[in-house]
Amino acid sequence: MYFQSPYLMYTILAVGILHLNRISPGNKTWQLAETYFWQRAIKLYQAALTSNVTPQNVDSLLSTCMFMGLTALCPENIKPTDSWVLSDKPDAMNWLCLQSGLRCIITLAQSYLDSSIWGSTFQQAHKDEQQFLKRVVPEGREGLDPDLADLCGIDDFTTAKTNPYYEPLRLYTAISELERNWENSAKCAEFMGKLTNEFLALLRRRDPPALLIMAQWMGLMCTLSHWQPWVFGRLVTECTAICMYLENDPDPRISRLLEFPASACGYSSRNVCQRT
């Protein structure tokens, strides 16, 4: 599969060098190699995505997408000011948008999944997801944080079809109630791959209610870093950036809702740590 798909080969090489660069930073040769491999991988992968999904390339496309989505969470020397929330860089939120890529490819490759090396894995994940989603109420605000529900305009008759905040907030509420362990930490991580384009657009506009939902999830992931150490690669910094962006908002509900994520990511601010 690797020899028939150069983009997957370059992606695997890039992942390996990235690992070396993160555990032993400062090696200029490795840094140059990582840049080169990523450049080749992305260019070839973009070209592959313009072609049709077939039984011959479905495994390579899926595998590459998963590798790229994971490594986007492990940047080097990231600072809060690099976040899309605090910068005007057009590509600063690409890491989050990329997490939805797998869902798109799975949709295109649906008819080939049974014969894919990932077929049984995806089938089991789908069964587990359907079982888990049974606990997510499809309407109303029962069980939601009342302040966050108010900020999102959610009432007793709100559904995912009538409110773009509803689905991610309901999903976050459900995963936040899970027991803290390795298996459930993986379920919590899947949250970022389920965000709709409409919600992503709200995040890109730095919409406060959408940012608060993301901050709650990022804070939750910070508490699960024992099982998901990649959290330290990006989420701690991104969570800090959201706290910095919202901390001076005069709405006391926002100040209260920032307390948990700020504490979880280690951000200290008088405006966040004390309610107004």
Side-chain angles (χ1 to χ4, degrees), residues 92-140:
M93 210 178 89
N94 284 1
W95 70 271
L96 183 56
C97 298
L98 187 61
Q99 306 308 317
S100 301
L102 182 62
R103 184 178 61 205
C104 297
I105 296 177
I106 288 176
T107 301
L108 294 173
Q110 196 66 48
S111 58
Y112 309 127
L113 289 183
D114 286 344
S115 59
S116 168
I117 60 172
W118 296 107
S120 59
T121 301
F122 289 153
Q123 289 174 5
Q124 185 58 50
H126 180 69
K127 291 179 182 178
D128 292 343
E129 179 182 56
Q130 293 303 111
Q131 187 66 31
F132 169 72
L133 289 178
K134 288 181 180 180
R135 68 178 70 190
V136 180
V137 180
E139 180 178 286

Side-chain angles (χ1 to χ4, degrees), residues 37-187:
F37 288 142
W38 278 127
Q39 182 184 51
R40 295 294 298 157
I42 292 170
K43 182 177 181 179
L44 292 170
Y45 188 51
Q46 286 177 329
L49 289 174
T50 63
S51 305
N52 293 328
V53 179
T54 67
Q56 289 71 40
N57 67 12
V58 63
D59 289 335
S60 297
L61 291 173
L62 290 169
S63 300
T64 301
C65 183
M66 285 185 279
F67 276 125
M68 286 189 173
L70 177 62
T71 54
L73 300 171
C74 305
E76 191 172 20
N77 301 322
I78 186 173
K79 305 180 295 295
T81 50
D82 295 323
S83 170
W84 91 92
V85 183
L86 298 178
S87 78
D88 294 320
K89 299 175 183 176
D91 60 346
M93 210 178 89
N94 284 1
W95 70 271
L96 183 56
C97 298
L98 187 61
Q99 306 308 317
S100 301
L102 182 62
R103 184 178 61 205
C104 297
I105 296 177
I106 288 176
T107 301
L108 294 173
Q110 196 66 48
S111 58
Y112 309 127
L113 289 183
D114 286 344
S115 59
S116 168
I117 60 172
W118 296 107
S120 59
T121 301
F122 289 153
Q123 289 174 5
Q124 185 58 50
H126 180 69
K127 291 179 182 178
D128 292 343
E129 179 182 56
Q130 293 303 111
Q131 187 66 31
F132 169 72
L133 289 178
K134 288 181 180 180
R135 68 178 70 190
V136 180
V137 180
E139 180 178 286
R141 55 184 283 147
E142 182 181 354
L144 302 181
D145 182 287
D147 284 345
L148 194 47
D150 288 342
L151 286 167
C152 293
I154 294 173
D155 59 28
D156 291 336
F157 304 100
T158 300
T159 68
K161 292 183 178 180
T162 62
N163 188 303
Y165 306 106
Y166 192 76
E167 187 172 349
L169 181 53
R170 270 297 183 189
L171 181 57
Y172 165 73
T173 301
I175 61 178
S176 67
E177 296 171 351
L178 294 173
E179 180 184 352
R180 303 290 198 268
N181 56 41
W182 181 87
E183 181 179 0
N184 288 335
S185 72
K187 286 187 174 68

Side-chain angles (χ1 to χ4, degrees), residues 236-248:
V236 170
T237 304
E238 297 283 356
C239 188
T240 298
I242 294 177
C243 292
M244 293 171 66
Y245 182 77
L246 293 175
E247 66 177 337
N248 293 315

Side-chain angles (χ1 to χ4, degrees), residues 207-220:
D207 174 74
L211 290 177
L212 283 168
I213 293 173
M214 281 304 295
Q216 297 299 314
W217 171 73
M218 289 176 178
L220 172 64

Side-chain angles (χ1 to χ4, degrees), residues 5-25:
S5 307
Y7 54 87
L8 177 57
M9 179 188 71
Y10 278 115
T11 299
I12 293 173
L13 289 171
V15 169
I17 296 295
L18 180 147
H19 176 70
L20 293 175
N21 281 331
R22 297 306 179 269
I23 63 174
S24 184

